[in-house]
Amino acid sequence: MLDDLDLKICRVLQQDGRLSNADLARAIHLSPAACFDRVKRLRREGYITGFAALLDPEKFDRGLLVFVQVLLDRTTPDAFSNFAAAVRNMPEVLECHMVAGGFDYLVKARVKDMAEYRRFLGDALVSLPSVRETHTYAVMEEVKAQVGFGI
C-alpha cells in the first residue's frame, strides 16, 4: 500500500523523471537516503516501471498522428492474439488498445505524413489476418498530450 510520501514521489517523478535523488528528496521533504530507499522499493514493486525521454515527433519526421479503429472479421482468441502480436512489431504504432463497443481495437500511430500513413495502412495494418475494416482519424491539433496520469 502506498502512503502519502510514496504518492508524492510518484507525482514528482511523473513530472520530471530526470531529477536527481537529492533534488527529489528536497522536493518531498525527505532525507536522500530515505528517498532513495522508497524509489528503489517503488521500482522493485512495479509502481515505477521505467523512465523515458520525451522526443519532438516533428524533428524525427513523425508529424502526423492518427487514431485508427480496427474491426476484425472474427472475435476468436487466435484472431485477437495474432493481431496483437503483429501490432507489437510495428514501429509506427505507439499504442494499441482492445476496446469494448462497435470495433475491436483502437490504434494510435505516428508517421511522417499522409502518404506514409497510406503506405502503413495498406502495406501493414489492413494486410493483417482478420482485419475486416478500419476507420482513420487524423489529428489536426493535439489539444492535450499528457504522459502521466493523475494520482
Side-chain angles (χ1 to χ4, degrees), residues 14-122:
Q14 243 185 175
Q15 295 301 311
D16 185 358
R18 292 188 63 204
L19 277 179
S20 68
N21 183 64
D23 288 339
L24 177 60
R26 209 171 4 267
I28 63 165
H29 309 290
L30 196 63
S31 74
C35 183
F36 180 83
D37 289 343
R38 283 178 175 264
V39 170
K40 186 176 175 182
R41 179 180 51 78
L42 289 167
R43 291 187 72 181
R44 183 181 64 247
E45 293 178 0
Y47 290 99
I48 298 174
T49 59
F51 298 92
L54 302 178
L55 306 176
D56 182 345
E58 296 283 341
K59 295 193 185 304
F60 290 89
D61 270 342
R62 297 293 180 263
L64 180 63
L65 181 62
V66 295
F67 289 89
V68 186
Q69 294 177 347
V70 178
L71 180 64
L72 302 183
D73 62 6
R74 59 189 181 279
T75 54
T76 65
D78 282 346
F80 289 142
S81 63
N82 290 339
F83 180 83
V87 167
R88 285 186 189 102
N89 291 319
M90 295 179 175
E92 301 89 348
V93 174
L94 303 175
E95 298 176 21
C96 178
H97 304 274
M98 179 187 274
V99 297
F103 55 97
D104 299 304
Y105 289 93
L106 182 62
V107 174
K108 178 181 178 182
R110 199 172 265 289
V111 294
K112 179 179 180 178
D113 53 24
M114 193 54 76
E116 181 68 16
Y117 175 67
R118 283 194 311 267
R119 184 212 54 81
F120 166 70
L121 183 65

